Amino acid sequence: VSAPPAAAAAPAAQQAGYSPQQGQQGQPQRYQQPGPYQQAVAAPSAARIRNPPGKWKSFLSHVQGEAGKEAQILFYELGGAPACWLDVKMGDKAVEAMMEGVQGSANFLLILTPAYFDRPFCIKELEMAVQCKKNIVLCHTSSTKSKLSELFQQAHSMGFNGIGNEESVELILNDPDYLAVTIMKLQRKFV
């Protein structure tokens, strides 16, 4: 089997069960179907949970470069791995694992920042949350506060009409007293 005509073909070939064999200078040369051992190890089952426990109180959706620190603080304050799904804390970070995280969470905690609606993975997560009728809880960083109206308009133009209909909680996380109040406000919005 010859190399795929374009780089975009590689993921499709890999999804079909083919893995790249390295050629000169580390470039994939051809695709070869995995042997029985690789199939047994890699074969997902319908009941397989990608990231235990499989059910969470909340899924934290954010742009890493804009709200990574805030997401990590919320992760720990809301109970860590047993209670929250946060990509950087999960073993499996594949798109399927993210979708499982959204589906398995009661609440979808959207940390709104200027680039949120420009990020394809954030959009996929939000689409899944809407499709699954998840409780969407909005919060925002202090630096985003002045841009909320513009971001809500952007969300509406993309078909996310419910975004902005409820109050967004400002994340004030640098003071222990304000942090406690912020967490309390978020948890009041949880189901």
Side-chain angles (χ1 to χ4, degrees):
V1 179
S2 61
Q14 288 171 340
Q15 289 173 358
Y18 288 85
S19 59
Q21 298 297 310
Q22 298 301 317
Q24 291 180 349
Q25 300 172 347
Q27 297 298 317
Q29 202 173 41
R30 60 191 173 89
Y31 284 83
Q32 178 180 359
Q33 194 164 17
Y37 174 74
Q38 289 90 351
Q39 288 174 344
V41 170
S45 70
R48 179 176 165 236
I49 295 172
R50 293 177 172 274
N51 290 303
K55 295 286 181 193
W56 298 270
K57 185 73 172 170
S58 49
F59 181 96
L60 302 175
S61 182
H62 70 292
V63 174
Q64 182 65 36
E66 293 179 331
K69 179 182 94 175
E70 291 84 351
Q72 292 218 23
I73 291 170
L74 290 174
F75 174 80
Y76 289 112
E77 290 294 324
L78 293 171
C84 296
W85 199 103
L86 177 62
D87 56 358
V88 298
K89 299 297 183 185
M90 296 296 137
D92 188 342
K93 298 168 183 68
V95 173
E96 295 82 8
M98 287 190 296
M99 297 302 107
E100 175 189 77
V102 174
Q103 292 169 339
S105 296
N107 300 286
F108 184 85
L109 187 55
L110 189 163
I111 304 174
L112 198 55
T113 55
Y116 187 88
F117 294 109
D118 298 328
R119 295 294 200 270
F121 289 116
C122 292
I123 299 302
K124 285 178 191 268
E125 293 167 357
L126 182 55
E127 287 173 339
M128 179 61 74
V130 169
Q131 178 184 337
C132 294
K133 296 178 176 35
K134 295 297 174 179
N135 179 43
I136 298 174
V137 178
L138 289 179
C139 59
H140 62 276
T141 60
S142 297
S143 61
T144 306
K145 189 174 185 176
S146 64
K147 301 172 181 90
L148 285 177
S149 179
E150 178 184 321
L151 289 168
F152 294 153
Q153 287 176 350
Q154 185 178 4
H156 294 178
S157 73
M158 297 174 77
F160 298 116
N161 297 323
I163 301 297
N165 292 347
E166 291 196 23
E167 176 192 359
S168 178
V169 175
E170 183 173 357
L171 298 176
I172 304 173
L173 308 176
N174 58 353
D175 176 283
D177 293 330
Y178 286 119
L179 172 60
V181 171
T182 299
I183 298 302
M184 183 180 62
K185 283 183 171 184
L186 290 172
Q187 289 177 328
R188 280 189 199 154
K189 293 177 172 271
F190 285 177
V191 293

